């Protein structure tokens, strides 16, 4: 298998050599002790119980379901107390929850209102004509 001269440009892992110079591999930066962050964390054992008494001091107390239920009850009571403040609830809730529906329907309602007005006027005209026609018939009969 013979590769052409452009194969080095296609592979980024192999540095390209400039004419007359040898390709040098990229230099790796040495990590200094100053650059490393200091780890000030302490060891905590949640499920493991060490055999040595010195390490047993780092064991976390066992959490029971009663403790969890007490925390949940406390949070529920705080939420209820916060919800009792009606000003906060009104500030969160929108004043008109259907404003977008009104916006979308307003154009259609405008045309329907115009048609309704025309239909009412037409019905009134028909009633007037009918009443005039009825009065004319009564006068003719007399």
């Amino acid at each position: 298998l013979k590769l052409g001269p452009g194969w080095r440009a296609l592979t980024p892992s192999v540095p390209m050599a400039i004419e007359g110079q040898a390709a040098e591999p990229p230099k790796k930066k040495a990590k200094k002790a100053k650059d490393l962050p200091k780890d000030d964390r302490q060891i905590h054992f949640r499920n493991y119980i060490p055999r040595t008494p010195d390490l047993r001091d780092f064991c976390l107390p066992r959490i029971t379901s009663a403790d969890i239920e007490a925390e949940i009850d406390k949070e529920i009571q705080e939420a209820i107390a916060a919800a009792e403040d009606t000003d906060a609830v009104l500030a969160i809730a929108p004043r008109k929850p259907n404003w977008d529906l009104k916006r979308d329907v307003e154009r259609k309602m405008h045309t329907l209102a115009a048609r309704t007005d025309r239909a009412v006027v037409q019905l009134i005209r028909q009633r007037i004509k009918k009443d005039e026609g009825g009065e004319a018939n009564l006068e003719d009969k007399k």
Side-chain angles (χ1 to χ4, degrees), residues 37-124:
K38 292 184 179 180
D39 198 11
D40 293 335
R41 294 182 288 174
Q42 291 183 347
I43 298 173
H44 295 291
F45 298 109
R46 185 177 311 272
N47 296 323
Y48 175 71
I49 300 173
R51 292 182 181 172
T52 60
D54 295 337
L55 292 178
R56 286 189 184 171
D57 295 337
F58 296 111
C59 288
L60 297 176
R62 294 227 178 236
I63 299 174
T64 62
S65 60
D67 296 336
I68 295 172
E69 289 176 5
E71 285 182 33
I72 292 173
D73 289 339
K74 180 181 172 186
E75 290 178 9
I76 289 173
Q77 294 301 326
E78 290 174 0
I80 290 172
E84 289 176 356
D85 185 18
T86 57
D87 295 334
V89 173
L90 292 178
I92 295 171
R95 293 184 185 155
K96 296 180 181 177
N98 58 352
W99 66 270
D100 57 337
L101 296 174
K102 288 182 180 179
R103 180 198 63 206
D104 295 340
V105 175
E106 184 177 355
R107 192 177 315 129
K108 295 178 183 178
M109 289 300 293
H110 182 67
T111 56
L112 285 175
R115 287 184 184 176
T116 304
D117 291 342
R118 277 188 250 139
V120 168
V121 169
Q122 185 179 7
L123 288 172
I124 292 172

